[in-house]
């Protein structure tokens, strides 16, 4: 269900059960791992083909957004239009959020975000390494883990698709649905540290500085969610997309800086 909804590549097994929506959200981080692996394979193929850094960075950026079906970019643009103008009335912000037209703030924020994201990818593409690939996969996984946890634990808007799914009810059953997101994130994080350290415990300690990327992603996602929920009065899919896009932009920027 998570693959079919959040990835552009058609899922070979198509089945939807509304009662499993929260469990689907809990598996959302695994979609990020899947997409990140494909992006890194494309990066590796371009490296073998001898493509330059600018071309490689542009292509893998395009591949990434294409694989998401642009669903998160849509939420990013909607939230930019609703929140950036600083309208004092919450109901007006919500109306703008649901407006299908793209305003000036959405377009300006999209251009700025793409400049930073693609520019960071170009910088990364200058030096292909397994370490950078692992951290890139971690960025795409952890951004979705933060989104999944926020969707499940925060109160949804009345108009949100999650309103009837039991999200944000804080019951034991609801909290249980965050477990897959945590487990997937911890597995990917542990695997990332193990791969980068080459299996050596001393090298593992030396590689811990790379966790700054994870910290940046989590912080950016959390701050974006807090601001959006406060200004819009609840959680929904657009805020999820805004969280993912913002946290990945800062995550890729941090990755480019520490690997420079």
């Amino acid at each position: 269900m998570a693959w079919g909804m959040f990835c552009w590549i058609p899922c070979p097994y198509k089945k939807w059960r509304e009662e499993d929506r929260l469990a689907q959200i809990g598996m959302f981080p695994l979609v990020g791992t899947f997409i990140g692996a494909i992006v890194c394979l494309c990066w590796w193929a371009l490296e073998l083909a001898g493509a330059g850094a600018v071309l490689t960075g542009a292509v893998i950026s395009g591949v990434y957004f294409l694989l998401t079906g642009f669903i998160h970019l849509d939420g990013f643009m909607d939230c930019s239009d609703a929140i950036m103008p600083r309208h004092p009335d919450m109901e007006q912000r919500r109306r703008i959020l649901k407006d299908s037209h793209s305003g000036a703030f959405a377009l300006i924020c999209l251009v700025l975000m793409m400049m930073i994201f693609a520019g960071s990818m170009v910088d990364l593409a200058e030096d292909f390494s397994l370490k950078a690939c692992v951290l890139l996969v971690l960025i795409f996984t952890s951004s979705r883990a933060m989104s999944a946890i926020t969707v499940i634990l925060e109160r949804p808007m009345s108009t949100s698709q999650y309103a009837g799914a039991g999200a944000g009810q804080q019951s034991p059953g609801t909290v249980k649905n965050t477990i897959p997101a945590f487990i997937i994130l911890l597995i990917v994080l542990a695997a990332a540290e193990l791969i980068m350290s080459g299996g050596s415990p001393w090298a593992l300690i030396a590689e811990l500085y790379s966790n700054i990327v994870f910290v940046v992603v989590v912080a950016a996602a959390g701050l974006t969610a807090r601001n959006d929920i406060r200004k819009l009065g609840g959680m929904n899919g657009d805020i999820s997309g805004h969280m993912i896009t913002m946290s990945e932009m800062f995550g890729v920027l941090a990755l480019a800086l520490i690997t420079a």
Side-chain angles (χ1 to χ4, degrees), residues 2-3 16 36 44 46 63 72 75 77 103 125 136 141 145 153 156 160 162-163 165 178 180 209 213-214 227 249 259:
W3 178 352
W16 181 273
W44 178 62
L46 288 165
V63 166
H72 308 311
M77 294 178 70
L136 197 59
T141 304
L153 297 182
S160 171
Y162 304 120
T178 65
Y209 81 95
V213 175
F214 172 72
N227 183 60
M249 179 192 72
T259 57

Side-chain angles (χ1 to χ4, degrees), residues 108-231:
I108 292 169
C109 289
L110 177 64
V111 170
L112 291 175
M113 184 278 296
M114 290 299 294
M115 287 172 59
I116 296 172
F117 187 94
S120 299
M121 284 294 204
V122 168
D123 194 57
L124 280 175
E126 292 181 355
D127 184 20
F128 177 84
S129 67
L130 179 59
K131 173 183 174 180
C133 287
V134 170
L135 287 172
L136 197 59
V137 172
L138 178 62
I139 289 171
F140 298 147
T141 304
S142 55
S143 66
R144 285 161 178 77
M146 285 297 294
S147 172
I149 292 165
T150 306
V151 166
I152 291 172
L153 297 182
E154 291 289 343
R155 179 175 57 85
M157 295 183 196
S158 58
T159 56
S160 171
Q161 59 180 320
Y162 304 120
Q169 293 180 357
Q170 301 288 345
S171 66
T174 299
V175 175
K176 187 187 296 184
N177 283 284
T178 65
I179 293 176
F182 279 116
I183 290 176
I184 293 169
L185 182 55
L186 289 174
I187 289 173
V188 174
L189 182 60
E193 298 291 359
L194 188 62
I195 292 171
M196 289 186 295
S197 68
S200 167
W202 298 111
L204 178 62
I205 295 173
E207 288 291 349
L208 288 178
Y209 81 95
S210 297
N211 283 336
I212 188 64
V213 175
F214 172 72
V215 172
V216 168
V217 171
V218 170
L223 290 172
T224 301
R226 180 181 179 183
N227 183 60
D228 290 358
I229 292 170
R230 179 174 61 85
K231 291 187 175 181

Side-chain angles (χ1 to χ4, degrees), residues 38-67:
I38 295 175
V39 169
C40 289
L41 284 174
C42 291
W43 183 7
W44 178 62
L46 288 165
E47 179 75 10
L48 291 179
V54 175
L55 177 60
T56 300
V59 170
I60 61 177
S61 295
V63 166
Y64 168 68
F65 288 113
L66 181 63
L67 288 174

Side-chain angles (χ1 to χ4, degrees), residues 61-118:
S61 295
V63 166
Y64 168 68
F65 288 113
L66 181 63
L67 288 174
T68 66
F70 307 106
I71 187 173
H72 308 311
L73 276 183
D74 178 68
F76 169 79
M77 294 178 70
D78 286 342
C79 286
S80 296
D81 262 342
I83 293 171
M84 291 298 290
R86 298 184 181 179
H87 295 292
D89 182 25
M90 182 181 292
E91 290 305 317
Q92 185 177 2
R93 290 195 290 267
R94 286 189 174 188
R95 285 195 297 270
I96 295 172
L97 185 70
K98 292 301 178 183
D99 193 337
S100 60
H101 299 88
S102 296
F105 284 94
L107 297 176
I108 292 169
C109 289
L110 177 64
V111 170
L112 291 175
M113 184 278 296
M114 290 299 294
M115 287 172 59
I116 296 172
F117 187 94

